[in-house]
Amino acid sequence: MGETPPKAVYRPPKVPPAEQVDFDIPCSEQDLLRVRLRTYRNKIVDYAVMQLTSDYGTWEEVARIDCCGGTIHRHLFGRSGTVLLDHELIRDIPERDGAWDVVHDSYEGALDEMQEKWEDNLRRWRSG
C-alpha cells in the first residue's frame, strides 16, 4: 500500500514579492498590540496580532491571533511561561481558491477581538 501524501496547506507569498510591515498599537502605558502584516496584490495574505505587556521592562507575549499551518488560530500565554491555549482554531484557510480572501477578510475581526479582549487576556496572563 502506498503512503498518503501530506495534506497541502496554505502558504502565503514570500517577502519579496510580498511586502511586510510591522507596527504597534498602544493599549495602555504598559500594553500594546504588535501587528505584522504581509500584503500582496492589495490583499493581506498573512498576519499576526500579538498582545504584549511590559513586565519589569521586558516585553512579554500575552496572546496572539495568527495564520500558519493553513489555519487562522489563537494562542494564550501565562505569566509563568505556560501555554494556556495553543492553536485554537478560528478558521481553516483553503489551500488555493479564495485563500487570500479568507486571510484578508479575517484580519479586521482578529484585530477587533484582540482590542476588545486585551484586559481579559492580561488578567488571564497575570493569573497563569
Side-chain angles (χ1 to χ4, degrees):
M1 291 190 183
E3 291 184 29
T4 305
K7 180 185 173 194
V9 296
Y10 170 73
R11 297 199 193 296
K14 295 187 185 292
V15 176
E19 295 179 2
Q20 184 169 311
V21 62
D22 301 314
F23 59 93
D24 293 340
I25 302 170
C27 296
S28 74
E29 285 185 24
Q30 292 185 231
D31 302 287
L32 61 85
L33 295 178
R34 179 158 292 151
V35 179
R36 184 199 74 228
L37 290 178
R38 190 180 306 175
T39 59
Y40 182 69
R41 296 185 180 172
N42 297 318
K43 296 264 187 188
I44 297 169
V45 295
D46 187 32
Y47 66 83
V49 182
M50 299 155 279
Q51 180 180 351
L52 304 174
T53 190
S54 179
D55 190 35
Y56 299 103
T58 302
W59 288 107
E60 300 288 341
E61 191 169 21
V62 173
R64 178 175 71 238
I65 295 177
D66 66 357
C67 311
C68 72
T71 67
I72 300 163
H73 52 271
R74 71 178 53 81
H75 305 263
L76 298 174
F77 306 100
R79 182 181 220 158
S80 62
T82 57
V83 176
L84 303 175
L85 186 64
D86 190 32
H87 285 83
E88 179 185 52
L89 180 66
I90 296 172
R91 176 137 192 220
D92 285 315
I93 304 170
E95 178 193 356
R96 290 197 172 109
D97 297 334
W100 293 353
D101 291 328
V102 167
V103 173
H104 183 85
D105 293 345
S106 69
Y107 166 71
E108 288 294 330
L111 184 59
D112 289 347
E113 177 179 328
M114 293 295 280
Q115 288 175 318
E116 291 167 6
K117 294 186 176 180
W118 76 269
E119 288 175 325
D120 292 337
N121 291 339
L122 187 58
R123 202 171 10 263
R124 188 179 301 108
W125 178 83
R126 286 183 175 141
S127 67

PDB file of all heavy atoms in Angstrom, residues 82-104:
ATOM      1  N   THR A  82       3.765  29.509  30.782  1.00  0.00           N
ATOM      2  CA  THR A  82       2.937  28.399  30.332  1.00  0.00           C
ATOM      3  C   THR A  82       2.122  28.789  29.117  1.00  0.00           C
ATOM      4  O   THR A  82       1.763  29.947  28.922  1.00  0.00           O
ATOM      5  CB  THR A  82       1.972  27.928  31.440  1.00  0.00           C
ATOM      6  OG1 THR A  82       1.174  29.041  31.846  1.00  0.00           O
ATOM      7  CG2 THR A  82       2.717  27.374  32.637  1.00  0.00           C
ATOM      8  N   VAL A  83       1.836  27.793  28.294  1.00  0.00           N
ATOM      9  CA  VAL A  83       0.936  27.978  27.159  1.00  0.00           C
ATOM     10  C   VAL A  83      -0.451  27.578  27.649  1.00  0.00           C
ATOM     11  O   VAL A  83      -0.690  26.424  27.975  1.00  0.00           O
ATOM     12  CB  VAL A  83       1.374  27.112  25.956  1.00  0.00           C
ATOM     13  CG1 VAL A  83       0.376  27.237  24.823  1.00  0.00           C
ATOM     14  CG2 VAL A  83       2.772  27.502  25.498  1.00  0.00           C
ATOM     15  N   LEU A  84      -1.337  28.548  27.752  1.00  0.00           N
ATOM     16  CA  LEU A  84      -2.679  28.292  28.240  1.00  0.00           C
ATOM     17  C   LEU A  84      -3.591  27.768  27.140  1.00  0.00           C
ATOM     18  O   LEU A  84      -4.517  27.008  27.399  1.00  0.00           O
ATOM     19  CB  LEU A  84      -3.278  29.559  28.849  1.00  0.00           C
ATOM     20  CG  LEU A  84      -2.469  30.191  29.986  1.00  0.00           C
ATOM     21  CD1 LEU A  84      -3.104  31.507  30.421  1.00  0.00           C
ATOM     22  CD2 LEU A  84      -2.350  29.229  31.161  1.00  0.00           C
ATOM     23  N   LEU A  85      -3.330  28.195  25.915  1.00  0.00           N
ATOM     24  CA  LEU A  85      -4.123  27.769  24.765  1.00  0.00           C
ATOM     25  C   LEU A  85      -3.212  27.813  23.552  1.00  0.00           C
ATOM     26  O   LEU A  85      -2.548  28.816  23.311  1.00  0.00           O
ATOM     27  CB  LEU A  85      -5.302  28.732  24.574  1.00  0.00           C
ATOM     28  CG  LEU A  85      -6.338  28.406  23.507  1.00  0.00           C
ATOM     29  CD1 LEU A  85      -7.053  27.101  23.851  1.00  0.00           C
ATOM     30  CD2 LEU A  85      -7.353  29.526  23.408  1.00  0.00           C
ATOM     31  N   ASP A  86      -3.173  26.711  22.805  1.00  0.00           N
ATOM     32  CA  ASP A  86      -2.246  26.626  21.679  1.00  0.00           C
ATOM     33  C   ASP A  86      -3.000  26.252  20.409  1.00  0.00           C
ATOM     34  O   ASP A  86      -3.620  25.193  20.356  1.00  0.00           O
ATOM     35  CB  ASP A  86      -1.169  25.579  21.976  1.00  0.00           C
ATOM     36  CG  ASP A  86      -0.044  25.602  20.958  1.00  0.00           C
ATOM     37  OD1 ASP A  86       0.257  26.687  20.436  1.00  0.00           O
ATOM     38  OD2 ASP A  86       0.530  24.539  20.691  1.00  0.00           O
ATOM     39  N   HIS A  87      -2.953  27.115  19.438  1.00  0.00           N
ATOM     40  CA  HIS A  87      -3.556  26.860  18.126  1.00  0.00           C
ATOM     41  C   HIS A  87      -5.061  26.556  18.204  1.00  0.00           C
ATOM     42  O   HIS A  87      -5.538  25.610  17.599  1.00  0.00           O
ATOM     43  CB  HIS A  87      -2.837  25.716  17.399  1.00  0.00           C
ATOM     44  CG  HIS A  87      -1.510  26.108  16.853  1.00  0.00           C
ATOM     45  ND1 HIS A  87      -0.378  26.111  17.639  1.00  0.00           N
ATOM     46  CD2 HIS A  87      -1.135  26.511  15.634  1.00  0.00           C
ATOM     47  CE1 HIS A  87       0.652  26.489  16.900  1.00  0.00           C
ATOM     48  NE2 HIS A  87       0.222  26.757  15.683  1.00  0.00           N
ATOM     49  N   GLU A  88      -5.820  27.370  18.955  1.00  0.00           N
ATOM     50  CA  GLU A  88      -7.278  27.196  18.957  1.00  0.00           C
ATOM     51  C   GLU A  88      -7.801  27.686  17.603  1.00  0.00           C
ATOM     52  O   GLU A  88      -7.657  28.861  17.258  1.00  0.00           O
ATOM     53  CB  GLU A  88      -7.934  27.984  20.084  1.00  0.00           C
ATOM     54  CG  GLU A  88      -9.445  27.809  20.072  1.00  0.00           C
ATOM     55  CD  GLU A  88     -10.148  28.657  21.102  1.00  0.00           C
ATOM     56  OE1 GLU A  88      -9.887  29.888  21.126  1.00  0.00           O
ATOM     57  OE2 GLU A  88     -10.937  28.106  21.861  1.00  0.00           O
ATOM     58  N   LEU A  89      -8.412  26.788  16.873  1.00  0.00           N
ATOM     59  CA  LEU A  89      -8.851  27.071  15.507  1.00  0.00           C
ATOM     60  C   LEU A  89      -9.929  28.147  15.474  1.00  0.00           C
ATOM     61  O   LEU A  89     -10.916  28.069  16.186  1.00  0.00           O
ATOM     62  CB  LEU A  89      -9.382  25.792  14.849  1.00  0.00           C
ATOM     63  CG  LEU A  89      -9.879  25.929  13.418  1.00  0.00           C
ATOM     64  CD1 LEU A  89      -8.741  26.263  12.472  1.00  0.00           C
ATOM     65  CD2 LEU A  89     -10.591  24.656  12.985  1.00  0.00           C
ATOM     66  N   ILE A  90      -9.689  29.142  14.642  1.00  0.00           N
ATOM     67  CA  ILE A  90     -10.709  30.137  14.319  1.00  0.00           C
ATOM     68  C   ILE A  90     -11.300  29.796  12.955  1.00  0.00           C
ATOM     69  O   ILE A  90     -12.512  29.763  12.781  1.00  0.00           O
ATOM     70  CB  ILE A  90     -10.120  31.561  14.313  1.00  0.00           C
ATOM     71  CG1 ILE A  90      -9.636  31.932  15.721  1.00  0.00           C
ATOM     72  CG2 ILE A  90     -11.135  32.576  13.782  1.00  0.00           C
ATOM     73  CD1 ILE A  90      -8.857  33.229  15.802  1.00  0.00           C
ATOM     74  N   ARG A  91     -10.402  29.504  11.989  1.00  0.00           N
ATOM     75  CA  ARG A  91     -10.865  29.202  10.633  1.00  0.00           C
ATOM     76  C   ARG A  91      -9.763  28.513   9.846  1.00  0.00           C
ATOM     77  O   ARG A  91      -8.597  28.871   9.954  1.00  0.00           O
ATOM     78  CB  ARG A  91     -11.257  30.498   9.933  1.00  0.00           C
ATOM     79  CG  ARG A  91     -11.656  30.318   8.489  1.00  0.00           C
ATOM     80  CD  ARG A  91     -12.848  31.089   8.112  1.00  0.00           C
ATOM     81  NE  ARG A  91     -13.305  30.639   6.814  1.00  0.00           N
ATOM     82  CZ  ARG A  91     -13.746  31.430   5.887  1.00  0.00           C
ATOM     83  NH1 ARG A  91     -13.821  32.719   6.095  1.00  0.00           N
ATOM     84  NH2 ARG A  91     -14.156  30.955   4.734  1.00  0.00           N
ATOM     85  N   ASP A  92     -10.150  27.522   9.067  1.00  0.00           N
ATOM     86  CA  ASP A  92      -9.217  26.917   8.123  1.00  0.00           C
ATOM     87  C   ASP A  92      -9.026  27.863   6.945  1.00  0.00           C
ATOM     88  O   ASP A  92      -9.945  28.582   6.557  1.00  0.00           O
ATOM     89  CB  ASP A  92      -9.759  25.583   7.592  1.00  0.00           C
ATOM     90  CG  ASP A  92      -9.650  24.468   8.614  1.00  0.00           C
ATOM     91  OD1 ASP A  92      -8.591  24.347   9.255  1.00  0.00           O
ATOM     92  OD2 ASP A  92     -10.627  23.714   8.765  1.00  0.00           O
ATOM     93  N   ILE A  93      -7.826  27.849   6.382  1.00  0.00           N
ATOM     94  CA  ILE A  93      -7.532  28.617   5.174  1.00  0.00           C
ATOM     95  C   ILE A  93      -7.457  27.619   4.035  1.00  0.00           C
ATOM     96  O   ILE A  93      -6.680  26.662   4.106  1.00  0.00           O
ATOM     97  CB  ILE A  93      -6.181  29.361   5.288  1.00  0.00           C
ATOM     98  CG1 ILE A  93      -6.162  30.266   6.525  1.00  0.00           C
ATOM     99  CG2 ILE A  93      -5.907  30.166   4.016  1.00  0.00           C
ATOM    100  CD1 ILE A  93      -4.791  30.830   6.841  1.00  0.00           C
ATOM    101  N   PRO A  94      -8.267  27.799   2.985  1.00  0.00           N
ATOM    102  CA  PRO A  94      -8.191  26.854   1.870  1.00  0.00           C
ATOM    103  C   PRO A  94      -6.806  26.877   1.233  1.00  0.00           C
ATOM    104  O   PRO A  94      -6.104  27.895   1.280  1.00  0.00           O
ATOM    105  CB  PRO A  94      -9.265  27.336   0.896  1.00  0.00           C
ATOM    106  CG  PRO A  94      -9.634  28.706   1.320  1.00  0.00           C
ATOM    107  CD  PRO A  94      -9.195  28.894   2.734  1.00  0.00           C
ATOM    108  N   GLU A  95      -6.425  25.763   0.659  1.00  0.00           N
ATOM    109  CA  GLU A  95      -5.098  25.682   0.051  1.00  0.00           C
ATOM    110  C   GLU A  95      -4.946  26.661  -1.095  1.00  0.00           C
ATOM    111  O   GLU A  95      -3.905  27.286  -1.249  1.00  0.00           O
ATOM    112  CB  GLU A  95      -4.842  24.261  -0.444  1.00  0.00           C
ATOM    113  CG  GLU A  95      -3.505  24.124  -1.112  1.00  0.00           C
ATOM    114  CD  GLU A  95      -3.352  22.828  -1.874  1.00  0.00           C
ATOM    115  OE1 GLU A  95      -4.250  21.990  -1.842  1.00  0.00           O
ATOM    116  OE2 GLU A  95      -2.321  22.682  -2.543  1.00  0.00           O
ATOM    117  N   ARG A  96      -5.964  26.798  -1.919  1.00  0.00           N
ATOM    118  CA  ARG A  96      -5.832  27.658  -3.109  1.00  0.00           C
ATOM    119  C   ARG A  96      -6.990  28.626  -3.254  1.00  0.00           C
ATOM    120  O   ARG A  96      -6.884  29.769  -2.861  1.00  0.00           O
ATOM    121  CB  ARG A  96      -5.734  26.776  -4.359  1.00  0.00           C
ATOM    122  CG  ARG A  96      -4.440  26.025  -4.432  1.00  0.00           C
ATOM    123  CD  ARG A  96      -4.194  25.496  -5.836  1.00  0.00           C
ATOM    124  NE  ARG A  96      -2.859  24.940  -5.897  1.00  0.00           N
ATOM    125  CZ  ARG A  96      -2.593  23.665  -5.986  1.00  0.00           C
ATOM    126  NH1 ARG A  96      -3.570  22.793  -6.050  1.00  0.00           N
ATOM    127  NH2 ARG A  96      -1.351  23.240  -6.030  1.00  0.00           N
ATOM    128  N   ASP A  97      -8.072  28.177  -3.857  1.00  0.00           N
ATOM    129  CA  ASP A  97      -9.172  29.064  -4.232  1.00  0.00           C
ATOM    130  C   ASP A  97      -9.723  29.840  -3.042  1.00  0.00           C
ATOM    131  O   ASP A  97     -10.217  29.265  -2.082  1.00  0.00           O
ATOM    132  CB  ASP A  97     -10.306  28.264  -4.895  1.00  0.00           C
ATOM    133  CG  ASP A  97      -9.868  27.619  -6.195  1.00  0.00           C
ATOM    134  OD1 ASP A  97      -8.926  28.143  -6.824  1.00  0.00           O
ATOM    135  OD2 ASP A  97     -10.447  26.585  -6.571  1.00  0.00           O
ATOM    136  N   GLY A  98      -9.584  31.137  -3.108  1.00  0.00           N
ATOM    137  CA  GLY A  98     -10.129  32.020  -2.088  1.00  0.00           C
ATOM    138  C   GLY A  98      -9.275  32.172  -0.845  1.00  0.00           C
ATOM    139  O   GLY A  98      -9.679  32.827   0.107  1.00  0.00           O
ATOM    140  N   ALA A  99      -8.079  31.588  -0.823  1.00  0.00           N
ATOM    141  CA  ALA A  99      -7.230  31.648   0.376  1.00  0.00           C
ATOM    142  C   ALA A  99      -6.906  33.091   0.751  1.00  0.00           C
ATOM    143  O   ALA A  99      -7.025  33.475   1.918  1.00  0.00           O
ATOM    144  CB  ALA A  99      -5.953  30.850   0.159  1.00  0.00           C
ATOM    145  N   TRP A 100      -6.485  33.888  -0.211  1.00  0.00           N
ATOM    146  CA  TRP A 100      -6.139  35.273   0.098  1.00  0.00           C
ATOM    147  C   TRP A 100      -7.340  36.025   0.639  1.00  0.00           C
ATOM    148  O   TRP A 100      -7.210  36.837   1.548  1.00  0.00           O
ATOM    149  CB  TRP A 100      -5.587  35.992  -1.132  1.00  0.00           C
ATOM    150  CG  TRP A 100      -4.264  35.476  -1.599  1.00  0.00           C
ATOM    151  CD1 TRP A 100      -3.453  34.559  -0.988  1.00  0.00           C
ATOM    152  CD2 TRP A 100      -3.600  35.853  -2.791  1.00  0.00           C
ATOM    153  NE1 TRP A 100      -2.330  34.342  -1.735  1.00  0.00           N
ATOM    154  CE2 TRP A 100      -2.376  35.127  -2.849  1.00  0.00           C
ATOM    155  CE3 TRP A 100      -3.898  36.725  -3.825  1.00  0.00           C
ATOM    156  CZ2 TRP A 100      -1.473  35.255  -3.895  1.00  0.00           C
ATOM    157  CZ3 TRP A 100      -2.990  36.854  -4.865  1.00  0.00           C
ATOM    158  CH2 TRP A 100      -1.790  36.131  -4.903  1.00  0.00           C
ATOM    159  N   ASP A 101      -8.520  35.761   0.084  1.00  0.00           N
ATOM    160  CA  ASP A 101      -9.728  36.432   0.564  1.00  0.00           C
ATOM    161  C   ASP A 101     -10.039  36.048   2.004  1.00  0.00           C
ATOM    162  O   ASP A 101     -10.425  36.898   2.816  1.00  0.00           O
ATOM    163  CB  ASP A 101     -10.928  36.113  -0.327  1.00  0.00           C
ATOM    164  CG  ASP A 101     -10.806  36.738  -1.706  1.00  0.00           C
ATOM    165  OD1 ASP A 101     -10.212  37.829  -1.821  1.00  0.00           O
ATOM    166  OD2 ASP A 101     -11.304  36.131  -2.679  1.00  0.00           O
ATOM    167  N   VAL A 102      -9.888  34.775   2.343  1.00  0.00           N
ATOM    168  CA  VAL A 102     -10.148  34.324   3.712  1.00  0.00           C
ATOM    169  C   VAL A 102      -9.215  35.036   4.677  1.00  0.00           C
ATOM    170  O   VAL A 102      -9.643  35.565   5.712  1.00  0.00           O
ATOM    171  CB  VAL A 102      -9.998  32.783   3.818  1.00  0.00           C
ATOM    172  CG1 VAL A 102      -9.938  32.335   5.276  1.00  0.00           C
ATOM    173  CG2 VAL A 102     -11.138  32.086   3.084  1.00  0.00           C
ATOM    174  N   VAL A 103      -7.929  35.069   4.370  1.00  0.00           N
ATOM    175  CA  VAL A 103      -6.961  35.728   5.254  1.00  0.00           C
ATOM    176  C   VAL A 103      -7.251  37.223   5.321  1.00  0.00           C
ATOM    177  O   VAL A 103      -7.348  37.803   6.413  1.00  0.00           O
ATOM    178  CB  VAL A 103      -5.518  35.457   4.787  1.00  0.00           C
ATOM    179  CG1 VAL A 103      -4.522  36.268   5.601  1.00  0.00           C
ATOM    180  CG2 VAL A 103      -5.193  33.970   4.874  1.00  0.00           C
ATOM    181  N   HIS A 104      -7.407  37.859   4.176  1.00  0.00           N
ATOM    182  CA  HIS A 104      -7.665  39.305   4.118  1.00  0.00           C
ATOM    183  C   HIS A 104      -8.924  39.665   4.917  1.00  0.00           C
ATOM    184  O   HIS A 104      -8.910  40.609   5.721  1.00  0.00           O
ATOM    185  CB  HIS A 104      -7.807  39.736   2.659  1.00  0.00           C
ATOM    186  CG  HIS A 104      -7.994  41.205   2.476  1.00  0.00           C
ATOM    187  ND1 HIS A 104      -6.938  42.083   2.417  1.00  0.00           N
ATOM    188  CD2 HIS A 104      -9.122  41.946   2.352  1.00  0.00           C
ATOM    189  CE1 HIS A 104      -7.406  43.310   2.257  1.00  0.00           C
ATOM    190  NE2 HIS A 104      -8.736  43.250   2.217  1.00  0.00           N
TER     191      HIS A 104
END
